[in-house]
Amino acid sequence: MTRRKADPATASRGTWLRRPGPAADGKREALARLLRPHELAALGSYYWEGWARDAQLPPAEAWRTWLICAGRGFGKTRAGAEWVRDVARSDGGARIALVGASLNEVRNVMVEGDSGVLAAAPGALAPVFEPSLRKLTWENGAIAWLYSAGEPESLRGPQHSHASRPGAEGGVGQRRPRARRYPAAPGNRGRKRRSARLAARWRMLARRR
């Protein structure tokens, strides 16, 4: 996916807020006068699109897989957490898979870490975390489940609309069409045939897009 370009048609709100120069300063001051104190505080502290780098924001065009390939310190974990938060807040029917190398990584980094989902969702609309159930629940009904790559079979069966996975070299976000989902059937018998049918269905859907 291509990155957002810094032109008026595709630039993010953050690009507008961070513009240098006296003219931009005047427009920011005018905006600040229109905001209430709590709105101004939120803009300066928790408005991710306002202070994130454009490379940390999802692609502007339609996408199915978003990969951030960058080194340590880039902000991949925070970008993924903010994307998960935005998906959950805007879609009460979202079912999100948070996948890491281990459950400890998912919990300590992706959920409870300094740049995790809970840190990205202070105050209103913060999710309820139930460690024993490996689940985050938002008040609008959106749910995120925690998964370990060491237990791949746990991903068989549950249906998800979105997924997020961190990594040493990159972070990945994925989303699928909500209209049709084809979870793998349980059991070992005929698994290869079911997997082939599942792959064929997804290829058919991809051609229709």
Side-chain angles (χ1 to χ4, degrees), residues 11 13 34 37 46 56 62 66 81 85 98 100 124-125 130 132 135 145 156 165 170 173 184 188 195 198 202 206 209:
R13 295 185 180 94
L34 296 174
Y46 303 119
Q56 292 176 294
W66 169 35
R85 179 181 72 108
L98 304 178
L125 295 179
E130 300 174 89
S132 61
K135 183 171 70 171
W145 284 279
R156 295 181 61 86
R165 181 187 66 82
N188 295 322
S195 298
L198 177 62
W202 277 113
R209 289 178 64 84

Side-chain angles (χ1 to χ4, degrees), residues 125-156:
L125 295 179
V128 175
F129 180 38
E130 300 174 89
S132 61
L133 299 179
R134 305 180 182 181
K135 183 171 70 171
L136 286 161
T137 306
W138 281 261
E139 62 182 24
N140 64 352
I143 300 174
W145 284 279
L146 284 60
Y147 294 98
S148 167
E151 302 174 357
E153 290 298 317
S154 64
L155 282 162
R156 295 181 61 86

Side-chain angles (χ1 to χ4, degrees), residues 17 31-48 50-51 78 85 122:
L17 286 169
L31 174 63
R33 288 193 293 270
L34 296 174
L35 298 177
R36 297 177 180 177
H38 71 278
E39 293 173 330
L40 188 60
L43 177 64
S45 301
Y46 303 119
Y47 182 51
W48 174 246
W51 55 271
R78 187 57 182 265
R85 179 181 72 108

Side-chain angles (χ1 to χ4, degrees), residues 31 37 46 77 89 166 207:
L31 174 63
Y46 303 119
T77 300
R89 292 184 63 177
R207 288 195 296 269

Side-chain angles (χ1 to χ4, degrees), residues 15-181:
T15 300
W16 184 90
L17 286 169
R18 295 190 299 268
R19 289 180 305 162
D25 290 340
K27 290 186 177 181
R28 281 190 289 267
E29 291 173 1
L31 174 63
R33 288 193 293 270
L34 296 174
L35 298 177
R36 297 177 180 177
H38 71 278
E39 293 173 330
L40 188 60
L43 177 64
S45 301
Y46 303 119
Y47 182 51
W48 174 246
E49 192 172 349
W51 55 271
R53 299 189 304 277
D54 285 359
Q56 292 176 294
L57 300 174
E61 61 270 24
W63 59 275
R64 180 171 293 180
T65 301
W66 169 35
L67 169 67
I68 300 178
C69 188
R72 295 185 181 277
F74 178 86
K76 302 183 295 296
T77 300
R78 187 57 182 265
E82 293 284 354
W83 174 71
V84 168
R85 179 181 72 108
D86 184 65
V87 167
R89 292 184 63 177
S90 60
D91 183 2
R95 298 296 180 263
I96 307 167
L98 304 178
V99 186
S102 66
L103 285 175
N104 283 338
E105 180 190 61
V106 179
R107 177 174 177 174
N108 296 335
V109 177
M110 298 180 69
V111 177
E112 297 181 322
D114 292 338
S115 298
V117 174
L118 295 181
L125 295 179
V128 175
F129 180 38
E130 300 174 89
S132 61
L133 299 179
R134 305 180 182 181
K135 183 171 70 171
L136 286 161
T137 306
W138 281 261
E139 62 182 24
N140 64 352
I143 300 174
W145 284 279
L146 284 60
Y147 294 98
S148 167
E151 302 174 357
E153 290 298 317
S154 64
L155 282 162
R156 295 181 61 86
Q159 302 182 41
H160 302 100
S161 57
H162 303 77
S164 178
R165 181 187 66 82
E169 289 80 23
V172 177
Q174 292 181 315
R175 59 185 183 185
R176 293 182 175 181
R178 178 58 56 83
R180 297 182 182 180
R181 303 180 195 160

